[in-house]
Amino acid sequence: MSLSSITALSPLDGRYASKLAALRPIMSEHGYMHRRVQVEVAWFIALSDAGFDEFKPLTTGARAYLLGLVKNFSEADSAAIKQIEKTTNHDVKAVEYWIKSKFEARPELTKAAEFVHFACTSEDINNTSHALQLRSGRDQVVLPGLDRIALKLREMAHAHADVPMLSRTHGQTASPTTVGKEMANVLVRLHGAMERIAAVKIMGKMNGAVGNYNAHLSAWPGFDWEAFSKRVVETPEPLGLGLTFQPYSIQIEPHDYMAELFDAVARANTILIDLSRDIWGYVSLGYFKQRLKAGEIGSSTMPHKVNPIDFENAEGNLGLANALLRHLSEKLPVSRWQRDLTDSTVLRNMGVALGYAALAYASLLTGLNKLELNDEALAADLDASWEVLAEPIQTVMRRFGVQGAYEKLKEVTRGKTVTAQALHGLIQSLEIPQAEKDRLLAMTPGSYTGKAAELARRA
């Protein structure tokens, strides 16, 4: 059976493949190969500038050629590396051999070929490559995906700032809010989560087999290898990697920053699960309608239905993403002694975790863009819930010292169908200033929204 979108084992590469085009070049094995070549080339060029008699500075032409290997790296190049790996049975060594094969007919580079991967352990290349992948995945896919949702939420918060909506604490009628304020609540939470994601320092180490520069110092004992390594890691691309230097490690970079990043993404995802469920509920209540494109089917057997599938899809995929992200964050910082390989196989699933998140963001945004307010349903729900005005009435009664205010309102409202007339009769009987009676008599469930509109516009 050939591999295709309908034979793929993962829906990310099957049913949903077209929706993950932006992530695939970054987090796929091809993306990993590309970053490995980038790291090897940056290290090689930096060694030529280190001042060693045995490796003179490369010419401008040689540097341009090497940087071109990175810039123009293709799927065919990845396939060639995989072909070499069939012989080496070692993926990093295959990258080294591929780079050396590109030196043929270039005497300057052929002469210096043994400085490719010089003093490096495989993890020096792998950890920095993973870091480059994660930085690109975060900056090019995850944060832009979240930002599109945030922009939509802000648009909804401002557009619907004044639209009153019945709250439902514990699933029961409660003090009204506005549609815009509820969107603003999520927006502010999401912005905080995005800031935490963006603030994670993406780290890399290049310090040898157990983190002590053993091999490096055996070749040049008097050279400051730590400063050199830091320079390669932190120098901006393309001559460096543009990462944050990790000074202490065993064979592997500790992965604490990865755990921090994955936890931060999972936190954002949890906020969006909360949003997806709430919108699903509001659609169920009729507060929102959903637009359909011509020809789309809402339900296979019930023509009247338009199922909230985008929010259900988002919720499910966010849950899958978080299951993987949380496993990654719990497992990756743990390594037996100086190295075991359990992190290697787990790290190959970073793209799967971020893929489910990216898919969910797209589904959620699609769902939000389909929503239309059902003003009639919102107004009808409010008009049928005059009991929510028991709160302001008893609060004003307490302000003016009316004894047993809470108890009196409880007697009138709890477990009963409360009408405007019943509340107005109670208000008229209160021993409070007439101006306060008039203010309470003018109040409706739809006007009792506090600062909701102001807060919505401010978000």
Side-chain angles (χ1 to χ4, degrees), residues 227-367:
F228 175 80
S229 177
K230 181 177 182 179
R231 189 160 60 249
V232 174
V233 169
E234 295 196 339
T235 296
E237 297 174 286
L239 294 179
L241 305 179
L243 304 170
T244 298
F245 180 62
Q246 172 62 269
Y248 283 85
S249 80
I250 48 178
Q251 184 173 115
I252 63 172
E253 197 282 329
H255 301 328
D256 295 326
Y257 87 85
M258 290 186 176
E260 184 181 354
L261 177 63
F262 296 146
D263 283 341
V265 174
R267 180 59 57 83
N269 291 349
T270 298
I271 293 167
L272 296 182
I273 288 173
D274 195 25
L275 172 65
S276 297
R277 291 177 179 173
D278 277 359
I279 297 292
W280 187 96
Y282 293 140
V283 170
S284 176
L285 291 171
Y287 290 179
F288 288 109
K289 301 175 184 177
Q290 299 177 98
R291 289 188 299 272
L292 276 181
K293 294 180 182 177
E296 285 187 348
I297 304 297
S299 170
S300 63
T301 61
M302 292 171 279
H304 68 284
K305 291 185 68 180
V306 181
N307 296 329
I309 57 173
D310 297 302
F311 301 103
E312 294 168 345
N313 183 292
E315 181 184 344
N317 285 308
L318 288 165
L320 281 167
N322 279 7
L324 288 166
L325 290 168
R326 284 173 176 141
H327 177 69
L328 288 166
S329 70
E330 290 175 5
K331 187 273 154 295
L332 289 175
V334 179
S335 180
R336 294 177 184 86
W337 295 340
Q338 286 71 45
R339 175 72 165 121
D340 69 49
L341 275 174
T342 54
D343 72 316
S344 180
T345 187
V346 172
L347 283 165
R348 294 183 186 277
N349 290 278
M350 294 190 305
V352 180
L354 297 183
Y356 279 116
L359 179 60
Y361 303 158
S363 296
L364 183 54
L365 184 63
T366 297

Side-chain angles (χ1 to χ4, degrees), residues 365-430:
L365 184 63
T366 297
L368 291 172
N369 282 324
K370 287 181 182 178
L371 294 178
E372 290 182 343
L373 273 188
N374 186 345
D375 295 295
E376 294 83 1
L378 286 161
D381 226 9
L382 286 163
D383 195 48
S385 304
W386 281 81
E387 66 271 15
V388 298
L389 296 185
E391 179 185 53
I393 294 170
Q394 66 99 2
T395 304
V396 172
M397 290 167 66
R398 294 173 69 164
R399 170 189 169 186
F400 290 101
V402 177
Q403 295 298 311
Y406 177 87
E407 290 73 19
K408 288 180 180 179
L409 266 296
K410 182 175 72 171
E411 182 180 341
V412 172
T413 60
R414 184 172 293 186
K416 299 176 182 179
T417 299
V418 179
T419 65
Q421 291 76 12
L423 286 179
H424 288 173
L426 175 64
I427 293 168
Q428 293 285 16
S429 71
L430 297 177

Side-chain angles (χ1 to χ4, degrees), residues 103-131:
F103 290 0
E104 295 174 8
R106 291 183 173 270
E108 177 187 1
L109 295 176
T110 301
K111 181 181 177 181
E114 288 309 308
F115 283 96
V116 177
H117 200 70
F118 181 82
C120 290
T121 184
S122 295
E123 269 304 298
D124 289 335
I125 310 305
N126 289 343
N127 90 94
T128 45
S129 296
H130 284 134

Side-chain angles (χ1 to χ4, degrees), residues 22-73:
L23 191 63
R24 193 166 286 107
I26 300 169
M27 300 305 300
S28 62
E29 187 168 11
H30 165 67
Y32 192 22
M33 293 284 193
H34 191 181
R35 299 284 76 87
R36 281 165 157 170
V37 171
Q38 178 184 349
V39 173
E40 293 279 15
V41 165
W43 185 257
F44 182 76
I45 293 174
L47 284 170
S48 81
D49 292 330
F52 302 138
D53 292 337
E54 295 84 353
F55 190 7
K56 300 298 184 183
L58 293 167
T59 62
T60 301
R63 293 167 191 264
Y65 175 74
L66 289 166
L67 293 175
L69 293 179
V70 178
K71 182 178 180 180
N72 302 315
F73 191 79

Side-chain angles (χ1 to χ4, degrees), residues 94-107:
V95 172
E96 176 188 341
Y97 287 171
W98 179 83
I99 292 173
K100 288 179 177 178
S101 76
K102 296 297 181 180
F103 290 0
E104 295 174 8
R106 291 183 173 270

